[in-house]
Amino acid sequence: MRDERTTPGLEQLRAAIAAGADGGAGIGALLGMTAESLEVGRAVFGLEPSPRFGNPLGTVHGGVLSTLLDSAMSCAVHTSLPEGAGYTTLELKVNFVRAVPIQGGRLRCEGTTVHMGRRVATCEGRITDQDGRLVAHGTATCMVFAPPTGQ
């Protein structure tokens, strides 16, 4: 059965992604990331490797993979936020498991929340290649900013 829960953070993220895709704004638009699935506590993004993402070895640069992980993981946190709350990544840890060829096919990154506190959230993510093989995984800690009061 599908979980139909929603939060203000999830609705805000859906609107921001739609606006960025339409307007060509944001890191997702810059790299060609697409939001494949968004739900409370979970975000799945896709990315097609490009020669623009290459390193001198002819594989996808680790910074691109790190950005994909950071985006999916922190957006999983975003989906869980109440109205007016914000967040920022405090710490990012990435493990690269295998090289990703420039022409290696579409990547899929799933980010999920592990813990949602009032001040700190933790999340984890996994990038898999078109054959479902793990290429990188990571964790992040996010600082959560409470909604402004007295407005």
Side-chain angles (χ1 to χ4, degrees):
M1 177 174 267
R2 186 181 152 113
D3 184 356
E4 297 293 336
R5 293 181 306 151
T6 190
T7 63
L10 176 58
E11 296 308 317
Q12 181 188 31
L13 181 60
R14 285 179 175 154
I17 288 174
D22 292 343
I27 192 69
L30 179 66
L31 295 178
M33 276 188 243
T34 57
E36 295 180 0
S37 176
L38 297 171
E39 58 193 70
V40 177
R42 182 174 175 267
V44 179
F45 289 172
L47 177 70
E48 186 72 36
S50 159
R52 299 176 297 144
F53 304 157
N55 62 28
L57 301 173
T59 59
V60 175
H61 190 279
V64 172
L65 299 175
S66 297
T67 300
L68 180 59
L69 272 165
D70 185 41
S71 297
M73 292 187 299
S74 61
C75 282
V77 169
H78 194 143
T79 65
S80 302
L81 295 177
E83 182 71 35
Y87 69 98
T88 190
T89 301
L90 286 175
E91 178 267 342
L92 175 66
K93 167 73 169 87
V94 178
N95 293 285
F96 302 105
V97 176
R98 66 173 31 96
V100 178
I102 294 297
Q103 307 299 335
R106 189 156 181 82
L107 299 174
R108 180 180 184 275
C109 183
E110 179 176 355
T112 57
T113 57
V114 174
H115 168 76
M116 284 297 304
R118 288 185 319 148
R119 298 285 207 160
V120 173
T122 57
C123 43
E124 60 190 9
R126 299 169 53 91
I127 301 175
T128 53
D129 66 14
Q130 67 181 6
D131 297 322
R133 294 177 301 188
L134 183 67
V135 298
H137 59 97
T139 58
T141 304
C142 296
M143 177 184 290
V144 177
F145 304 109
T149 58
Q151 291 186 345

